[in-house]
Amino acid sequence: MAGLGTVGGGLLKLIERQAELRLPGKLEVVAVSARNKNRNRGVDISKFRWADDPMELATAPDIDVIVELIGGSDGPAKRTVEAALRSGKSVVSANKALIAEHGIEIAALAEKHEAHLLFEAAVAGAIPIVRAVKNSLSGVIVSRVSGILNGTCNYILSEMLRTGAAYETVLAEAQRLGYAESDPFLDVSGGDAAHKVLILAAIAFGAQPAFDQVQVEGIDKIEAMDITLANKFDYRIKLVAEAFRANGSARCRVAPVLVSKEHPLAQVNGPLNAVVVEGEPVGRLTFTGPGAGSGPTAAAVMGDLARLFEGPATPPLGKPSRDLAPIITKADSATDQGSFFIGAKLADKPGMFAALTEELAEAGVSIDKLIQESAGDTGAAPVAIMTHPCPRAAVERALSRVAELKITADEPRLLRIETRA
Amino acid sequence: MAGLGTVGGGLLKLIERQAELRLPGKLEVVAVSARNKNRNRGVDISKFRWADDPMELATAPDIDVIVELIGGSDGPAKRTVEAALRSGKSVVSANKALIAEHGIEIAALAEKHEAHLLFEAAVAGAIPIVRAVKNSLSGVIVSRVSGILNGTCNYILSEMLRTGAAYETVLAEAQRLGYAESDPFLDVSGGDAAHKVLILAAIAFGAQPAFDQVQVEGIDKIEAMDITLANKFDYRIKLVAEAFRANGSARCRVAPVLVSKEHPLAQVNGPLNAVVVEGEPVGRLTFTGPGAGSGPTAAAVMGDLARLFEGPATPPLGKPSRDLAPIITKADSATDQGSFFIGAKLADKPGMFAALTEELAEAGVSIDKLIQESAGDTGAAPVAIMTHPCPRAAVERALSRVAELKITADEPRLLRIETRA
């Protein structure tokens, strides 16, 4: 075991209880490695061999499997995984960044050395979605994989709706509760969800994971008023990660999106994750569960460890890496068609509401629904607009005019509305 | 392929499209068998070898895999599966009755001949729950598996709520639409859901499937008034199949149950299926999707066929059949504690409401909520009662007095209320 953070501790505890599990064989912890030997992990590690450098484990002749829980797309995690695969060892990893950013080369290395490389824990915690998409659903022609893949963002958005508090307030509370890291950037920027959805896309579509082709937008610009007013339209704002086929290629994107209250993702609250797989001839499958945490992630690692007893290694991404198609490509989102949500506060001057709606009309954007609330003491009146279907470029054009004319007191938020039920 | 009904036709179509799938190898249909050679299946079977008797396929030397889609717990399905396993052939089956009623002996046969026996399609259609519980979640100590496992019943109950129509009316409509069989007994009696939940229980708990130990109650006695009045209490009536550990043994039961509108199963409507897996250290995982139909079931069979390329056979029920514990046992439901729902129509005589509530009080049953509606033209007033927690035996005692005294115009329905959120 390389890396002994919260997941590592949970895994050691679960391995101690393996008699209660249904593993097809017996696991033995040979050695452990972490940055800090003396940290209290609630579990006795003194009985295991200690390595200061995880690379020692990767090449040790008495070790069959490396469990990589170091994290990070590069550095010691990557070096350890590569060295282990080169020694023909099996690797079980929870490292989404590594698989998303270096999946092709690492999968190729695993294939070359006929070594297992399994990473169920990298996506959606305890939800066994990697193996489901890779194996159980290999008879499905997947058209779309979408989901709520970051529990931190989902918790923050759920709490902003529940309490009406500002993003910064709820983030601080999430950090206090352990739902958000002290450096929350990777979560709130959408980057973590992007890693995860890219891994699912690669497997579901037989595609090369190309992280630089994922369109990523985070939740850090969302205002409480956006969530409150979307709710009045009977919509929720969720950070949706999705990958879908489009014109022979595939798109992969993460963004805050409005989904109707009836949508399966609308009902996924707090730190839960959910994944929706759509395809022929099955229609829609939904998987929901805890997306993070010591226990759920350790159980996912354990499921991978159980797989090692079942037979020889298969290609980590489903298809052999050389057969993965380079189809994940960034589309110019300005060419997107759809319905959009605009949230903003009007500047504290007369005529601003008329000016806003005029600019939208000018750009050919027609309004489906609109709420304007009282400015109250602030002088800046919250406005939320849902458009009829139109090109995104038209809305963007209108909003750049709005910025020029200083019609709003803040930078307007432009969000896609998911119109599929 | 033995059996060419709607699933068989769907599978042949999917095999024709296998270049679009992500199978690790190539499938070739060698021969087919069915009762009627000339039925129109929307797919050309003339290019395949035909066998009048599926037993010919089970022993043919040029066949590796038997796909058993005949159905039924005994007769030709069982004979064919057993003969195929004895010849060392792999078997993929969609036959829940066969696995639930003869799982132990057939699993033992498969293990003896080191043959694959896979049956993802037997439970919850396209939801890949068998493999999830067996493999991905083998690192989870499962405490409970529950779900909506019969789409026909779920459709009927959903439609009774939506339209207010009587059971018989909605059943006839379901038959017209193809959601219910012309002989609906196995579905509406709860027997089909019982087969499915027993299979999941056997795998999740490492238990011997003992079909005679499953407590089964169907939906055919539910009145539209029960559903309507439960809805007024903010509850849904769902046919819930569940298996859970209790005092060193395990219980397995199927019954119509009241679940609160917020419960994950309450939101599963129409012909959908859902499975909830609870355990340590993961909490709760929910899987939702189409539970039946040609395409979804064929895709599940295809996932099993893909498994055949991955490596040697493993025990069909997870643990080797000799290690499965005989822990599934019927409890005396009269000893159950809980909150209960009573639905009935009062007899057309004065004082009946007082008599009913007196009998409940007499038996020590305390009322949490109650609705009595107007008798209207019928003279018989619909009553629905939710009790505070009490022994089921007490409610049963009260209801037998109610029957003696002819207090109600119909036979009261006594349903458990699921109080866990």
Side-chain angles (χ1 to χ4, degrees):
Chain A
M1 284 185 55
L4 286 175
T6 152
V7 176
L11 184 60
L12 285 174
K13 283 179 206 151
L14 200 53
I15 289 172
E16 280 176 3
R17 296 180 70 183
Q18 65 180 298
E20 296 172 70
L21 307 179
R22 294 167 286 122
L23 305 181
K26 201 171 168 315
L27 299 171
E28 191 192 329
V29 181
V30 178
V32 296
S33 173
R35 262 182 307 196
N36 179 347
K37 188 170 177 177
N38 299 316
R39 191 184 135 190
N40 180 9
R41 298 176 168 90
V43 55
D44 174 23
I45 60 161
S46 67
K47 57 189 160 188
F48 308 123
R49 195 162 92 212
W50 175 265
D52 281 319
D53 183 349
M55 288 293 278
E56 284 176 44
L57 310 182
T59 52
D62 60 339
I63 288 176
D64 301 317
V65 189
I66 298 291
V67 178
E68 185 270 302
L69 303 170
I70 303 169
S73 62
D74 293 278
K78 182 158 181 273
R79 279 200 304 276
T80 304
V81 166
E82 286 174 340
L85 294 174
R86 272 198 204 95
S87 319
K89 295 192 199 316
S90 298
V91 172
V92 173
S93 170
N95 191 332
K96 47 225 136 197
L98 177 67
I99 306 298
E101 298 188 26
H102 302 290
I104 278 271
E105 50 185 291
I106 292 182
L109 197 60
E111 289 161 24
K112 183 175 165 196
H113 295 278
E114 294 178 8
H116 287 275
L117 169 61
L118 301 170
F119 41 84
E120 184 63 78
V123 183
I127 304 173
I129 191 67
V130 170
R131 194 159 173 176
V133 173
K134 187 157 90 173
N135 300 133
S136 299
L137 304 179
S138 58
V140 172
I141 304 158
V142 178
S143 55
R144 181 182 297 259
V145 181
S146 56
I148 292 175
L149 293 177
N150 185 279
T152 304
C153 291
N154 203 48
Y155 174 81
I156 292 173
L157 295 173
S158 301
E159 282 296 292
M160 286 173 75
L161 172 63
R162 195 179 66 82
T163 63
Y167 168 77
E168 291 75 15
T169 313
V170 175
L171 171 60
E173 177 69 3
Q175 287 172 318
R176 204 183 58 77
L177 291 168
Y179 289 147
E181 308 272 347
S182 53
D183 176 2
F185 177 74
L186 194 59
D187 290 315
V188 302
S189 68
D192 174 78
H195 283 145
K196 294 167 179 169
V197 74
L198 180 63
I199 293 172
L200 293 180
I203 297 170
F205 302 148
Q208 291 179 9
F211 189 64
D212 59 348
Q213 296 299 310
V214 186
Q215 284 162 310
V216 190
E217 201 185 316
I219 63 163
D220 46 335
K221 301 222 163 58
I222 302 292
E223 298 284 340
M225 62 152 280
D226 301 332
I227 293 178
T228 310
L229 295 183
N231 186 45
K232 292 197 176 168
F233 290 135
D234 283 336
Y235 280 77
R236 300 268 183 267
I237 296 180
K238 293 286 185 188
L239 186 74
V240 174
E242 61 177 348
F244 54 99
R245 294 183 198 262
N247 310 323
S249 70
R251 282 180 72 181
C252 210
R253 64 185 178 190
V254 176
V257 170
L258 271 74
V259 295
S260 105
K261 274 186 190 168
E262 314 303 319
H263 192 279
L265 295 182
Q267 290 148 31
V268 177
N269 287 317
L272 284 181
N273 275 202
V275 183
V276 179
V277 179
E278 291 164 78
E280 276 185 82
V282 296
R284 178 146 73 178
L285 297 167
T286 306
F287 305 74
T288 312
S294 159
T297 312
V301 170
M302 197 55 109
D304 279 349
L305 290 169
R307 169 66 182 86
L308 302 177
F309 295 105
E310 278 176 49
T314 58
L317 294 166
K319 281 194 181 181
S321 52
R322 65 173 177 282
D323 296 341
L324 296 173
I327 54 173
I328 295 178
T329 50
K330 233 174 197 161
D332 178 2
S333 68
T335 65
D336 284 355
Q337 294 277 331
S339 295
F340 298 93
F341 170 95
I342 302 164
K345 280 188 172 153
L346 292 177
D348 192 8
K349 292 177 284 185
M352 291 300 100
F353 182 77
L356 172 65
T357 51
E358 245 166 58
E359 289 306 329
L360 288 168
E362 192 76 15
V365 177
S366 140
I367 295 173
D368 178 22
K369 293 180 195 165
L370 185 150
I371 296 175
Q372 193 216 297
E373 298 212 319
S374 162
D377 297 341
T378 67
V383 173
I385 293 170
M386 287 176 68
T387 76
H388 279 296
C390 64
R392 184 177 178 111
V395 188
E396 287 178 350
R397 206 160 54 233
L399 290 182
S400 76
R401 283 283 296 158
V402 165
E404 272 172 43
L405 301 173
K406 302 194 165 48
I407 293 171
T408 61
D410 55 9
E411 194 184 334
R413 280 73 61 197
L414 167 56
L415 306 179
R416 194 166 55 79
I417 301 172
E418 178 59 70
T419 45
R420 303 161 70 243
Chain B
M1 283 184 55
L4 286 176
T6 151
V7 177
L11 184 60
L12 286 175
K13 282 178 209 155
L14 200 52
I15 289 173
E16 280 176 2
R17 296 180 70 182
Q18 65 180 298
E20 295 172 70
L21 307 178
R22 294 166 287 123
L23 306 180
K26 201 172 167 312
L27 299 170
E28 191 192 330
V29 180
V30 178
V32 296
S33 173
R35 263 181 307 196
N36 179 348
K37 188 169 177 177
N38 299 314
R39 191 183 137 192
N40 180 9
R41 299 176 167 90
V43 54
D44 175 23
I45 60 161
S46 67
K47 56 188 161 190
F48 308 123
R49 195 162 91 212
W50 175 265
D52 282 320
D53 182 350
M55 289 293 277
E56 284 175 44
L57 310 182
T59 53
D62 60 338
I63 288 177
D64 301 316
V65 190
I66 297 292
V67 178
E68 185 270 303
L69 303 171
I70 302 169
S73 62
D74 293 278
K78 181 158 181 273
R79 280 200 304 277
T80 303
V81 167
E82 287 174 340
L85 294 173
R86 273 199 203 95
S87 318
K89 294 192 199 317
S90 299
V91 172
V92 174
S93 171
N95 192 332
K96 47 225 133 192
L98 177 68
I99 306 298
E101 299 188 26
H102 303 290
I104 279 271
E105 50 186 289
I106 293 183
L109 197 61
E111 289 160 24
K112 183 176 164 196
H113 295 278
E114 294 177 8
H116 286 275
L117 169 61
L118 301 169
F119 41 83
E120 184 64 79
V123 184
I127 304 174
I129 190 67
V130 170
R131 194 159 174 177
V133 173
K134 187 158 91 173
N135 300 131
S136 299
L137 304 179
S138 59
V140 172
I141 304 158
V142 178
S143 54
R144 181 182 296 259
V145 182
S146 57
I148 292 175
L149 294 177
N150 186 278
T152 304
C153 290
N154 203 48
Y155 174 82
I156 291 173
L157 294 173
S158 301
E159 282 296 292
M160 285 173 75
L161 173 63
R162 195 179 65 83
T163 64
Y167 168 76
E168 292 74 16
T169 313
V170 174
L171 171 60
E173 177 68 3
Q175 288 172 317
R176 204 183 58 76
L177 291 169
Y179 290 148
E181 308 272 346
S182 52
D183 176 2
F185 177 75
L186 192 60
D187 289 316
V188 301
S189 69
D192 174 77
H195 283 145
K196 294 167 179 169
V197 74
L198 180 62
I199 294 172
L200 292 181
I203 297 170
F205 303 149
Q208 291 178 9
F211 189 63
D212 59 348
Q213 296 299 311
V214 186
Q215 284 161 310
V216 190
E217 202 185 314
I219 62 162
D220 45 335
K221 300 221 165 59
I222 303 291
E223 299 283 342
M225 62 153 278
D226 302 332
I227 292 176
T228 308
L229 295 184
N231 185 46
K232 292 195 176 170
F233 291 134
D234 283 336
Y235 280 77
R236 301 266 183 266
I237 297 180
K238 292 287 183 187
L239 186 74
V240 175
E242 60 176 350
F244 53 99
R245 295 181 196 263
N247 309 323
S249 70
R251 282 180 72 182
C252 210
R253 63 186 179 188
V254 176
V257 170
L258 271 74
V259 294
S260 106
K261 274 186 191 170
E262 313 304 319
H263 193 279
L265 295 182
Q267 290 149 31
V268 177
N269 287 317
L272 283 182
N273 275 202
V275 183
V276 179
V277 179
E278 290 164 79
E280 276 185 81
V282 295
R284 178 145 74 177
L285 297 167
T286 306
F287 305 73
T288 312
S294 160
T297 313
V301 170
M302 196 57 108
D304 279 350
L305 290 169
R307 169 68 183 86
L308 302 177
F309 295 105
E310 278 175 50
T314 57
L317 294 166
K319 281 193 180 182
S321 53
R322 65 173 178 281
D323 296 339
L324 297 174
I327 54 171
I328 296 179
T329 50
K330 233 175 198 163
D332 178 2
S333 68
T335 66
D336 285 354
Q337 293 277 333
S339 294
F340 298 92
F341 170 94
I342 303 163
K345 281 189 172 153
L346 293 177
D348 191 8
K349 292 177 285 184
M352 292 299 99
F353 182 79
L356 171 66
T357 51
E358 245 164 58
E359 290 305 330
L360 287 168
E362 191 77 14
V365 176
S366 141
I367 294 173
D368 178 22
K369 292 180 196 166
L370 185 149
I371 295 175
Q372 193 214 297
E373 298 212 320
S374 162
D377 298 340
T378 67
V383 173
I385 294 170
M386 287 176 68
T387 76
H388 279 298
C390 65
R392 184 180 178 109
V395 187
E396 287 177 350
R397 205 159 56 234
L399 290 182
S400 77
R401 284 283 297 156
V402 165
E404 273 172 42
L405 301 173
K406 299 194 169 45
I407 292 171
T408 60
D410 54 10
E411 195 185 332
R413 280 74 59 196
L414 166 55
L415 306 180
R416 194 167 54 79
I417 301 171
E418 177 59 68
T419 45
R420 302 162 69 243

